[in-house]
Amino acid sequence: MFASARTFAAVAVAALASLPAAAQPAYPARPITLIVPAPPGGGTDLFGRQLAEIVEAEFKQKLVVENRAGGGGTVGVTQIVAAQPDGYTLGFIWNSPLTTSPHSLNVLYTPDRYAAIMSIGFSSYVLCVQPSFPADTGAQFLAEVKANPGKYTYGNDGVGGTMQLAAERIFAAAGARVRPVPFGGAGETARNFLGGHVDIYGGSLPPILPHVQAGRAKCPLLTSAEGNPSLPGAAGLASLGMGAEETVLWWGLIAPARTPKPVLDRLEAVFSTAARSAKFGEAMASQGASVRVRGSAETSAMIRGELDALGKVAQALGIQRQ
C-alpha cells in the first residue's frame, strides 16, 4: 500500500510539473497596448494606427492605441520604458525623443532602458528657398551659403530640435554658416518662410509641398542620403558625397528592456511583414514618407549612432539640458 501511494504521488508530481508548459498560452494571449507619444492626427499617430490594424489580423488580438503626448514625446517614452517587460506594452515612436531630446532635456531613459524592435521607414527633412534664390541644385545651394557666411537665415522646429541639428550637421560638413531662427513647428516655419521672414525653410515635407507644387518655393536639398520621389529636384546627401551626414524623421517600435527575446523576435517578424505590405506602403507614400524596414539590431545601432552624432552637434552649438 505504501508503494502504491508513493507511485501515485510520483505520477501526480510528474503530471503537475508538465502543466505549466502545456498551459502556457502562446504570445499574445491578450490585447496589447501600443503607446504613441504624440497627439492624435499626426503622421506618427496615423502610421501607428495603420500598423496596429494590419498586425491585429496576424496576432488575432486587439492592439489598443493610446496617445501619451507631452515633452516632445519624452513623456510617452518614459511611460513605455517603465512598463512591465512582458510584451503587452509597446511604443510606436519617432526618433526625436530617442536621439534629439536627450541633448536638451533631462530625460529619464537611455538606450539601455528599452529594446529596439524594428523601424518602418523615414521622411526626409528638406531645405527650401524662394524661387529667386541664386541656386537650383543641392551643390549650388551649399556653395552659395558657404560663400556668404552668416548672410542667410533658416527656419527650424526649435532650439535643439531635430531639424536644427540635422541642418547644422550638414552645414558644418560643408563649411557653411547659416543663422538659425527657431519656430514652434514646421507649419509655423512654412508661414514665416512664405512671408519672407527667413530665407530658408527647414522642416518636414507636408507643410511645404503644396507651395512647391504651386511654384512658390523650390527645394534644392534633403537631409536624407537618398532622394525623395515627392521632390525629384531635391538632392539627397549621398549624391553630394555627404551620405554619412544623413538625419531623417523615422519611425519604429520599442519595448521595455528585459522583454523576453522570443517575444521580441515575434514582434519584429510580424511588424516587419506588416510594414512591407502594400497597404502600409500606400499610407506612407500619402504622407511623403518612404518605407525602409530595419530589424532590431540595425535599428538599435542606428539609434545609438544618431544619438552620438547629434550629441556632438548639440555640444558644438552649446545647447544645454533643461
Side-chain angles (χ1 to χ4, degrees):
M1 185 173 180
F2 178 74
S4 297
R6 186 169 58 187
T7 301
F8 176 80
V11 170
V13 169
L16 288 171
S18 68
L19 280 177
Q24 185 69 30
Y27 174 84
R30 54 187 170 86
I32 297 170
T33 297
L34 186 66
I35 293 177
V36 176
T44 301
D45 181 60
L46 184 153
F47 295 150
R49 290 178 185 276
Q50 184 74 68
L51 268 183
E53 181 181 321
I54 298 170
V55 166
E56 279 181 351
E58 174 65 23
F59 278 156
K60 296 180 174 58
Q61 289 289 348
K62 183 71 176 174
L63 269 77
V64 181
V65 177
E66 294 187 1
N67 297 90
R68 306 277 183 86
T74 62
V75 170
V77 172
T78 299
Q79 294 174 338
I80 294 163
V81 302
Q84 190 73 18
D86 55 10
Y88 289 97
T89 301
L90 309 174
F92 184 77
I93 49 82
W94 77 106
N95 52 322
S96 180
L98 303 184
T99 64
T100 303
S101 298
H103 306 302
S104 57
L105 298 174
N106 286 311
V107 299
L108 300 176
Y109 52 84
T110 68
D112 294 330
R113 293 287 309 278
Y114 54 85
I117 298 170
M118 52 84 69
S119 50
I120 63 164
F122 71 98
S123 179
S124 312
Y125 290 107
V126 66
L127 294 165
C128 303
V129 293
Q130 301 289 343
S132 59
F133 192 87
D136 294 319
T137 68
Q140 291 171 352
F141 170 78
L142 289 176
E144 172 66 18
V145 295
K146 181 178 180 180
N148 295 277
K151 175 181 177 180
Y152 296 109
T153 57
Y154 75 97
N156 60 75
D157 57 3
V159 176
T162 304
M163 181 62 230
Q164 184 193 13
L165 299 187
E168 293 295 341
R169 191 175 177 185
I170 295 168
F171 294 146
R177 185 165 60 85
V178 186
R179 291 182 287 128
V181 180
F183 295 106
E188 187 178 329
T189 302
R191 290 192 296 273
N192 280 275
F193 164 74
L194 294 167
H197 304 299
V198 289
D199 302 304
I200 302 165
Y201 167 85
S204 56
L205 269 68
I208 199 66
L209 200 53
H211 305 290
V212 176
Q213 294 166 343
R216 291 190 291 269
K218 60 184 178 181
C219 302
L221 189 63
L222 299 166
T223 67
S224 58
E226 305 167 22
N228 189 300
S230 299
L231 288 172
L237 293 173
S239 68
L240 303 175
M242 301 173 68
E245 308 305 327
E246 175 183 74
T247 308
V248 294
L249 169 62
W250 58 263
W251 299 270
L253 193 71
I254 63 172
R258 301 183 306 282
T259 299
K261 190 174 187 307
V263 171
L264 294 175
D265 291 344
R266 172 92 165 122
L267 288 165
E268 179 182 345
V270 172
F271 273 89
S272 294
T273 298
R276 291 188 177 99
S277 68
K279 182 177 182 179
F280 189 71
E282 291 170 3
M284 292 280 281
S286 70
Q287 299 295 312
S290 302
V291 173
R292 183 167 66 188
V293 179
R294 289 173 162 165
S296 173
E298 194 176 1
T299 300
S300 181
M302 178 172 65
I303 290 170
R304 292 176 183 273
E306 186 171 294
L307 181 66
D308 180 64
L310 296 184
K312 291 175 181 176
V313 177
Q315 185 177 25
L317 294 174
I319 294 172
Q320 302 290 322
R321 288 189 180 90
Q322 298 178 5

